[in-house]
Amino acid sequence: LGPGNGNTLMVVGGIQGDEPGAFSAAALIASHYKITKGAVWVVPDLNMSSILSRNRGKNGDMNRKFASLKPEDPDYEIVSKIKSILLDERVDLILNLHDGSGFYRPVWESRKRNPNRWGQSLIIDQEAMHSPPFNLYETASKIERDVNTRLLDPMHRYHINNTLTAEGNEEMAKTLSFFAVCNGKPAFGV
């Protein structure tokens, strides 16, 4: 089924070339899954030059270029294009895939499991959106519960990481997901 017969999910991978799990997962979604309802738009390798050079971003971190970007920036065309796709009226939900280091935990457990790590987390920028109304935390909580019931190793427990971006997190305010949320599109980092 296509648009109009369910929601449209947009999956973005490869925004940072040093996170192979992200672009590999996006490629698997595009090539190994049969969509039975709605539509899934996949951008598996958004920042190909960064992927090929295996670094964060050949021209700087592309995931920090969504708040403002000068036309002379080498990534300007790509960022502008992905913004227009994100804002397409058919896109209902966005997943920005990443590779995390260690295991995110809301409280300090160890050097590898603490609030400064990003692995095994579903990232939201704020608890809820007002226009259109959408509770990011409630949705993330359902996903968290579902994922955690299927774990092979309880040490890999999945957690919600609310970056509280709208409350002054300047670094996260530059990201693709916050751009989407600010433009009425529910978005999650994974």
Side-chain angles (χ1 to χ4, degrees), residues 50-130:
S50 173
I51 292 169
L52 293 174
S53 60
R54 296 181 182 173
N55 62 35
R56 193 84 172 155
K58 189 173 179 182
N59 304 304
D61 187 343
M62 186 182 285
N63 199 35
R64 299 299 186 270
K65 295 185 176 189
F66 285 80
S68 69
L69 188 61
K70 295 178 180 173
E72 55 270 12
D73 188 295
D75 292 330
Y76 183 82
E77 188 176 324
I78 294 169
V79 172
S80 296
K81 181 66 175 170
I82 198 67
K83 281 180 170 182
S84 70
I85 296 169
L86 292 167
L87 298 177
D88 187 294
E89 65 183 21
R90 295 169 288 181
V91 173
D92 299 302
L93 183 74
I94 296 138
L95 294 181
N96 188 9
L97 302 182
H98 291 272
D99 229 342
S101 172
F103 297 87
Y104 171 78
R105 295 293 189 260
V107 296
W108 183 273
E109 292 178 14
S110 69
R111 193 174 62 77
K112 294 261 185 189
R113 290 177 167 80
N114 64 69
N116 297 318
R117 296 296 184 161
W118 292 90
Q120 290 299 98
S121 66
L122 185 58
I123 304 159
I124 58 175
D125 289 293
Q126 58 198 43
E127 190 164 314
M129 296 171 43
H130 303 292

Side-chain angles (χ1 to χ4, degrees), residues 11-40:
V11 177
V12 179
I15 198 167
Q16 295 159 325
D18 62 350
E19 297 182 356
F23 54 82
S24 298
L28 284 171
I29 291 168
S31 61
H32 286 78
Y33 286 85
K34 180 180 178 186
I35 308 307
T36 59
K37 184 176 180 184
V40 177

Side-chain angles (χ1 to χ4, degrees), residues 1 4 19-20 25 28-30 48 50 60 101-102 107 112 119 135 146 159 161 170 179 182:
L1 302 176
E19 297 182 356
L28 284 171
I29 291 168
M48 184 55 84
S50 173
S101 172
V107 296
K112 294 261 185 189
N135 192 313
D146 186 57
H159 290 278
N161 181 354
E170 293 178 18
F179 169 81
C182 288

